[in-house]
Amino acid sequence: MAANASAQIKIGVNVSATGPAASLGIPEKNTFALLPKEIAGKKVEYIVLDDASDTTTAVKNARKMIAEDKIDALIGSTVTPNSLAMIDVAAENEVPMISMAASSSIVLPVDSKRFWVFKTPQNDSHMATAITGHMSDAGIKTIAFIGFNDAYGEGWYKEFSKLADLRKLKIVANERFARTDTSVTGQILKIMSSNPDAVLIAGSGTPAALPQKTLKERGYKGKIYQTHGIANNDFLRVCGKDCEGTFLPAGPLLVAEQLPADNPVKKSSMRYLAAYEKAYGAGSISTFGGHAWDSGLLLEAAIPVALKKGEPGTKEFRAALRTALENISNLPTSHGIVNMSATDHLGLDQRSRVMVEIVNGKWKLLGKAN
């Protein structure tokens, strides 16, 4: 029995399946049920815990899975603050970690701690480039910013303001709100008084609908941009008609069926879409589930390589798994083509994003992002 137990690969998964980030975490949790139960002849067990969108719980879950379940790799969490909090745990225990949250600060710079950390969602910098390009092409001159008052909002403001400056776009207001807020009237009144050509809302999941609905209630007529953090159908449901005409950058998965046949990501995006909708119903696809699927694809590519260096459950295997992840090249995923390196623990390029508009309550592909 002991030999069999040591031969089994254990993957610890931490998702935000309840709390403010639930609309992101639920499709991620659903996706782990679709991942392979055997890789390279070894049984794979996914131990899935819910951190309830809470940073303290995320850390507790990570410690529990490492200490008690003796996991070989850690996946999670759904959101940036929780993922950042888990980095120390992964690094001190020398367990490779794959985050499903977006902020570039999760993997950059690749220091002694982030040496152990990878992620699947596009960097906020990738998406900020797409947004500022679209704004510039649309003749926008002034922008107001409102984002979460946490690492997600801060990361977005940092990247967006840097690129806005390069494109001669002037930020005329900079506001914050909490994921759990029920009103942002004060912040929106300040934004309205600055009379911007466009507003960028840097939030994720259904909480990002609140500023947009408030802007519409107050009669704002300019363009509204959101980030790839809203790219799921729950956001469309909560935001309703107030979403109409919104622009956002997104992973190709969001509009997989609309991608041209020669798009290099179409085939791998459609593979996940077909698997997820077969299990959970037509129209149930979510880009956030795609980040979970892609973490599985990374492990599927890295595990056979790592097994040449050590057995599951050992320090040697975990170290080899980290190295194998870092050397993944030309791997098609649901969101792009991954080419990792010692200085890039994301590995995505411009093929991982498109610009999208919300039209008649649906996602409409606008074409390649600049």
mmCIF file of all heavy atoms in Angstrom, residues 197-229:
data_model
loop_
_atom_site.group_PDB
_atom_site.id
_atom_site.type_symbol
_atom_site.label_atom_id
_atom_site.label_comp_id
_atom_site.label_asym_id
_atom_site.label_seq_id
_atom_site.Cartn_x
_atom_site.Cartn_y
_atom_site.Cartn_z
ATOM 1 N N ASP A 197 -13.838 61.281 -21.237
ATOM 2 C CA ASP A 197 -14.318 60.680 -22.494
ATOM 3 C C ASP A 197 -14.665 59.208 -22.282
ATOM 4 O O ASP A 197 -15.529 58.657 -22.956
ATOM 5 C CB ASP A 197 -13.234 60.751 -23.580
ATOM 6 C CG ASP A 197 -12.888 62.174 -23.970
ATOM 7 O OD1 ASP A 197 -13.747 63.055 -23.796
ATOM 8 O OD2 ASP A 197 -11.747 62.396 -24.429
ATOM 9 N N ALA A 198 -13.947 58.550 -21.358
ATOM 10 C CA ALA A 198 -14.156 57.122 -21.103
ATOM 11 C C ALA A 198 -13.852 56.809 -19.640
ATOM 12 O O ALA A 198 -13.114 57.537 -18.985
ATOM 13 C CB ALA A 198 -13.254 56.280 -22.008
ATOM 14 N N VAL A 199 -14.438 55.717 -19.167
ATOM 15 C CA VAL A 199 -14.174 55.229 -17.810
ATOM 16 C C VAL A 199 -13.678 53.792 -17.912
ATOM 17 O O VAL A 199 -14.249 52.981 -18.637
ATOM 18 C CB VAL A 199 -15.445 55.271 -16.925
ATOM 19 C CG1 VAL A 199 -15.155 54.678 -15.531
ATOM 20 C CG2 VAL A 199 -15.975 56.696 -16.792
ATOM 21 N N LEU A 200 -12.593 53.487 -17.180
ATOM 22 C CA LEU A 200 -12.109 52.114 -17.081
ATOM 23 C C LEU A 200 -12.421 51.597 -15.685
ATOM 24 O O LEU A 200 -12.024 52.190 -14.682
ATOM 25 C CB LEU A 200 -10.598 52.042 -17.328
ATOM 26 C CG LEU A 200 -9.942 50.684 -17.017
ATOM 27 C CD1 LEU A 200 -10.545 49.559 -17.854
ATOM 28 C CD2 LEU A 200 -8.429 50.741 -17.231
ATOM 29 N N ILE A 201 -13.161 50.482 -15.631
ATOM 30 C CA ILE A 201 -13.489 49.825 -14.367
ATOM 31 C C ILE A 201 -12.588 48.604 -14.222
ATOM 32 O O ILE A 201 -12.653 47.683 -15.036
ATOM 33 C CB ILE A 201 -14.977 49.405 -14.331
ATOM 34 C CG1 ILE A 201 -15.884 50.635 -14.507
ATOM 35 C CG2 ILE A 201 -15.303 48.672 -13.027
ATOM 36 C CD1 ILE A 201 -17.339 50.299 -14.814
ATOM 37 N N ALA A 202 -11.742 48.616 -13.193
ATOM 38 C CA ALA A 202 -10.812 47.500 -12.973
ATOM 39 C C ALA A 202 -11.300 46.655 -11.803
ATOM 40 O O ALA A 202 -10.891 46.837 -10.661
ATOM 41 C CB ALA A 202 -9.401 48.007 -12.725
ATOM 42 N N GLY A 203 -12.228 45.756 -12.124
ATOM 43 C CA GLY A 203 -12.773 44.833 -11.127
ATOM 44 C C GLY A 203 -12.903 43.469 -11.754
ATOM 45 O O GLY A 203 -12.606 43.284 -12.939
ATOM 46 N N SER A 204 -13.366 42.498 -10.983
ATOM 47 C CA SER A 204 -13.575 41.170 -11.551
ATOM 48 C C SER A 204 -14.863 40.571 -11.001
ATOM 49 O O SER A 204 -15.311 40.916 -9.905
ATOM 50 C CB SER A 204 -12.391 40.246 -11.241
ATOM 51 O OG SER A 204 -12.266 40.040 -9.853
ATOM 52 N N GLY A 205 -15.455 39.690 -11.812
ATOM 53 C CA GLY A 205 -16.694 39.041 -11.406
ATOM 54 C C GLY A 205 -17.860 40.010 -11.304
ATOM 55 O O GLY A 205 -17.815 41.149 -11.798
ATOM 56 N N THR A 206 -18.914 39.577 -10.642
ATOM 57 C CA THR A 206 -20.139 40.391 -10.561
ATOM 58 C C THR A 206 -19.968 41.715 -9.806
ATOM 59 O O THR A 206 -20.662 42.682 -10.132
ATOM 60 C CB THR A 206 -21.276 39.565 -9.940
ATOM 61 O OG1 THR A 206 -20.819 38.982 -8.715
ATOM 62 C CG2 THR A 206 -21.708 38.438 -10.871
ATOM 63 N N PRO A 207 -19.044 41.849 -8.814
ATOM 64 C CA PRO A 207 -18.887 43.153 -8.161
ATOM 65 C C PRO A 207 -18.500 44.289 -9.125
ATOM 66 O O PRO A 207 -18.752 45.460 -8.850
ATOM 67 C CB PRO A 207 -17.777 42.909 -7.131
ATOM 68 C CG PRO A 207 -17.863 41.458 -6.815
ATOM 69 C CD PRO A 207 -18.232 40.811 -8.124
ATOM 70 N N ALA A 208 -17.892 43.934 -10.266
ATOM 71 C CA ALA A 208 -17.484 44.956 -11.239
ATOM 72 C C ALA A 208 -18.680 45.599 -11.935
ATOM 73 O O ALA A 208 -18.547 46.632 -12.615
ATOM 74 C CB ALA A 208 -16.547 44.353 -12.280
ATOM 75 N N ALA A 209 -19.871 45.022 -11.777
ATOM 76 C CA ALA A 209 -21.079 45.607 -12.391
ATOM 77 C C ALA A 209 -21.544 46.857 -11.651
ATOM 78 O O ALA A 209 -22.185 47.739 -12.247
ATOM 79 C CB ALA A 209 -22.206 44.567 -12.413
ATOM 80 N N LEU A 210 -21.228 46.963 -10.361
ATOM 81 C CA LEU A 210 -21.749 48.073 -9.547
ATOM 82 C C LEU A 210 -21.359 49.454 -10.080
ATOM 83 O O LEU A 210 -22.247 50.304 -10.259
ATOM 84 C CB LEU A 210 -21.306 47.896 -8.084
ATOM 85 C CG LEU A 210 -21.792 48.954 -7.094
ATOM 86 C CD1 LEU A 210 -23.317 48.985 -6.998
ATOM 87 C CD2 LEU A 210 -21.169 48.709 -5.712
ATOM 88 N N PRO A 211 -20.074 49.741 -10.350
ATOM 89 C CA PRO A 211 -19.735 51.062 -10.891
ATOM 90 C C PRO A 211 -20.411 51.334 -12.238
ATOM 91 O O PRO A 211 -20.826 52.459 -12.522
ATOM 92 C CB PRO A 211 -18.214 51.021 -11.046
ATOM 93 C CG PRO A 211 -17.766 49.926 -10.156
ATOM 94 C CD PRO A 211 -18.873 48.924 -10.143
ATOM 95 N N GLN A 212 -20.516 50.294 -13.064
ATOM 96 C CA GLN A 212 -21.111 50.468 -14.393
ATOM 97 C C GLN A 212 -22.592 50.827 -14.280
ATOM 98 O O GLN A 212 -23.074 51.744 -14.956
ATOM 99 C CB GLN A 212 -20.938 49.187 -15.218
ATOM 100 C CG GLN A 212 -21.563 49.290 -16.605
ATOM 101 C CD GLN A 212 -20.694 48.718 -17.689
ATOM 102 O OE1 GLN A 212 -19.605 48.213 -17.444
ATOM 103 N NE2 GLN A 212 -21.167 48.816 -18.915
ATOM 104 N N LYS A 213 -23.306 50.115 -13.429
ATOM 105 C CA LYS A 213 -24.736 50.392 -13.245
ATOM 106 C C LYS A 213 -24.945 51.797 -12.673
ATOM 107 O O LYS A 213 -25.860 52.516 -13.076
ATOM 108 C CB LYS A 213 -25.370 49.336 -12.337
ATOM 109 C CG LYS A 213 -25.430 47.952 -12.977
ATOM 110 C CD LYS A 213 -26.067 46.902 -12.097
ATOM 111 C CE LYS A 213 -27.576 46.908 -12.213
ATOM 112 N NZ LYS A 213 -28.068 46.496 -13.541
ATOM 113 N N THR A 214 -24.050 52.205 -11.778
ATOM 114 C CA THR A 214 -24.146 53.542 -11.171
ATOM 115 C C THR A 214 -23.857 54.631 -12.203
ATOM 116 O O THR A 214 -24.537 55.668 -12.234
ATOM 117 C CB THR A 214 -23.196 53.654 -9.962
ATOM 118 O OG1 THR A 214 -23.391 52.528 -9.104
ATOM 119 C CG2 THR A 214 -23.451 54.921 -9.170
ATOM 120 N N LEU A 215 -22.873 54.392 -13.055
ATOM 121 C CA LEU A 215 -22.580 55.356 -14.131
ATOM 122 C C LEU A 215 -23.799 55.547 -15.031
ATOM 123 O O LEU A 215 -24.153 56.678 -15.388
ATOM 124 C CB LEU A 215 -21.393 54.865 -14.984
ATOM 125 C CG LEU A 215 -19.989 55.083 -14.415
ATOM 126 C CD1 LEU A 215 -18.977 54.217 -15.145
ATOM 127 C CD2 LEU A 215 -19.589 56.571 -14.518
ATOM 128 N N LYS A 216 -24.449 54.448 -15.396
ATOM 129 C CA LYS A 216 -25.629 54.515 -16.263
ATOM 130 C C LYS A 216 -26.793 55.226 -15.562
ATOM 131 O O LYS A 216 -27.489 56.042 -16.166
ATOM 132 C CB LYS A 216 -26.051 53.104 -16.703
ATOM 133 C CG LYS A 216 -25.037 52.415 -17.607
ATOM 134 C CD LYS A 216 -25.017 53.021 -18.993
ATOM 135 C CE LYS A 216 -24.153 52.210 -19.943
ATOM 136 N NZ LYS A 216 -24.173 52.718 -21.312
ATOM 137 N N GLU A 217 -26.971 54.912 -14.283
ATOM 138 C CA GLU A 217 -28.050 55.567 -13.506
ATOM 139 C C GLU A 217 -27.864 57.079 -13.461
ATOM 140 O O GLU A 217 -28.836 57.845 -13.478
ATOM 141 C CB GLU A 217 -28.045 55.036 -12.061
ATOM 142 C CG GLU A 217 -28.701 53.684 -11.892
ATOM 143 C CD GLU A 217 -28.357 53.068 -10.530
ATOM 144 O OE1 GLU A 217 -27.891 53.807 -9.636
ATOM 145 O OE2 GLU A 217 -28.544 51.840 -10.378
ATOM 146 N N ARG A 218 -26.604 57.493 -13.402
ATOM 147 C CA ARG A 218 -26.280 58.924 -13.307
ATOM 148 C C ARG A 218 -26.226 59.599 -14.683
ATOM 149 O O ARG A 218 -25.909 60.781 -14.784
ATOM 150 C CB ARG A 218 -24.949 59.115 -12.578
ATOM 151 C CG ARG A 218 -24.991 58.667 -11.123
ATOM 152 C CD ARG A 218 -25.679 59.683 -10.253
ATOM 153 N NE ARG A 218 -26.087 59.133 -8.966
ATOM 154 C CZ ARG A 218 -26.638 59.855 -8.002
ATOM 155 N NH1 ARG A 218 -26.878 61.141 -8.196
ATOM 156 N NH2 ARG A 218 -26.998 59.287 -6.866
ATOM 157 N N GLY A 219 -26.488 58.816 -15.732
ATOM 158 C CA GLY A 219 -26.588 59.404 -17.070
ATOM 159 C C GLY A 219 -25.279 59.578 -17.805
ATOM 160 O O GLY A 219 -25.187 60.381 -18.745
ATOM 161 N N TYR A 220 -24.251 58.829 -17.424
ATOM 162 C CA TYR A 220 -22.964 58.940 -18.116
ATOM 163 C C TYR A 220 -23.091 58.468 -19.569
ATOM 164 O O TYR A 220 -23.634 57.406 -19.844
ATOM 165 C CB TYR A 220 -21.885 58.126 -17.392
ATOM 166 C CG TYR A 220 -20.537 58.201 -18.071
ATOM 167 C CD1 TYR A 220 -19.818 59.395 -18.087
ATOM 168 C CD2 TYR A 220 -19.994 57.091 -18.719
ATOM 169 C CE1 TYR A 220 -18.590 59.474 -18.724
ATOM 170 C CE2 TYR A 220 -18.766 57.161 -19.355
ATOM 171 C CZ TYR A 220 -18.067 58.357 -19.360
ATOM 172 O OH TYR A 220 -16.858 58.444 -20.002
ATOM 173 N N LYS A 221 -22.581 59.283 -20.498
ATOM 174 C CA LYS A 221 -22.750 59.002 -21.935
ATOM 175 C C LYS A 221 -21.454 58.574 -22.641
ATOM 176 O O LYS A 221 -21.478 58.240 -23.828
ATOM 177 C CB LYS A 221 -23.298 60.242 -22.664
ATOM 178 C CG LYS A 221 -24.647 60.739 -22.136
ATOM 179 C CD LYS A 221 -25.754 59.748 -22.383
ATOM 180 C CE LYS A 221 -27.110 60.312 -21.941
ATOM 181 N NZ LYS A 221 -28.096 59.245 -21.716
ATOM 182 N N GLY A 222 -20.332 58.632 -21.937
ATOM 183 C CA GLY A 222 -19.054 58.285 -22.573
ATOM 184 C C GLY A 222 -18.878 56.780 -22.721
ATOM 185 O O GLY A 222 -19.765 55.987 -22.393
ATOM 186 N N LYS A 223 -17.709 56.378 -23.210
ATOM 187 C CA LYS A 223 -17.419 54.956 -23.394
ATOM 188 C C LYS A 223 -17.012 54.325 -22.056
ATOM 189 O O LYS A 223 -16.357 54.956 -21.235
ATOM 190 C CB LYS A 223 -16.296 54.777 -24.423
ATOM 191 C CG LYS A 223 -16.743 55.040 -25.859
ATOM 192 C CD LYS A 223 -15.625 54.719 -26.842
ATOM 193 C CE LYS A 223 -16.132 54.655 -28.276
ATOM 194 N NZ LYS A 223 -16.767 55.882 -28.744
ATOM 195 N N ILE A 224 -17.413 53.062 -21.875
ATOM 196 C CA ILE A 224 -17.048 52.334 -20.659
ATOM 197 C C ILE A 224 -16.233 51.101 -21.059
ATOM 198 O O ILE A 224 -16.609 50.350 -21.957
ATOM 199 C CB ILE A 224 -18.292 51.916 -19.846
ATOM 200 C CG1 ILE A 224 -19.059 53.164 -19.381
ATOM 201 C CG2 ILE A 224 -17.880 51.063 -18.638
ATOM 202 C CD1 ILE A 224 -20.360 52.862 -18.641
ATOM 203 N N TYR A 225 -15.103 50.953 -20.370
ATOM 204 C CA TYR A 225 -14.222 49.801 -20.568
ATOM 205 C C TYR A 225 -14.167 48.998 -19.273
ATOM 206 O O TYR A 225 -14.210 49.555 -18.179
ATOM 207 C CB TYR A 225 -12.799 50.256 -20.915
ATOM 208 C CG TYR A 225 -12.651 50.842 -22.295
ATOM 209 C CD1 TYR A 225 -13.032 52.160 -22.561
ATOM 210 C CD2 TYR A 225 -12.125 50.094 -23.349
ATOM 211 C CE1 TYR A 225 -12.898 52.712 -23.827
ATOM 212 C CE2 TYR A 225 -11.977 50.636 -24.625
ATOM 213 C CZ TYR A 225 -12.363 51.944 -24.850
ATOM 214 O OH TYR A 225 -12.227 52.475 -26.109
ATOM 215 N N GLN A 226 -14.083 47.687 -19.415
ATOM 216 C CA GLN A 226 -13.863 46.803 -18.278
ATOM 217 C C GLN A 226 -12.607 45.980 -18.576
ATOM 218 O O GLN A 226 -12.049 46.039 -19.679
ATOM 219 C CB GLN A 226 -15.076 45.870 -18.083
ATOM 220 C CG GLN A 226 -16.339 46.554 -17.593
ATOM 221 C CD GLN A 226 -16.513 46.476 -16.076
ATOM 222 O OE1 GLN A 226 -15.647 45.985 -15.343
ATOM 223 N NE2 GLN A 226 -17.662 46.960 -15.600
ATOM 224 N N THR A 227 -12.170 45.205 -17.595
ATOM 225 C CA THR A 227 -11.007 44.336 -17.794
ATOM 226 C C THR A 227 -11.477 42.906 -18.084
ATOM 227 O O THR A 227 -12.667 42.615 -18.020
ATOM 228 C CB THR A 227 -10.114 44.316 -16.543
ATOM 229 O OG1 THR A 227 -10.789 43.574 -15.506
ATOM 230 C CG2 THR A 227 -9.816 45.733 -16.049
ATOM 231 N N HIS A 228 -10.514 42.016 -18.339
ATOM 232 C CA HIS A 228 -10.858 40.615 -18.592
ATOM 233 C C HIS A 228 -11.388 39.934 -17.337
ATOM 234 O O HIS A 228 -11.841 38.794 -17.400
ATOM 235 C CB HIS A 228 -9.671 39.849 -19.170
ATOM 236 C CG HIS A 228 -8.412 39.857 -18.348
ATOM 237 N ND1 HIS A 228 -7.925 40.982 -17.741
ATOM 238 C CD2 HIS A 228 -7.525 38.856 -18.054
ATOM 239 C CE1 HIS A 228 -6.799 40.690 -17.111
ATOM 240 N NE2 HIS A 228 -6.536 39.412 -17.274
ATOM 241 N N GLY A 229 -11.383 40.652 -16.212
ATOM 242 C CA GLY A 229 -11.932 40.117 -14.966
ATOM 243 C C GLY A 229 -13.448 39.927 -14.982
ATOM 244 O O GLY A 229 -14.004 39.301 -14.088
#
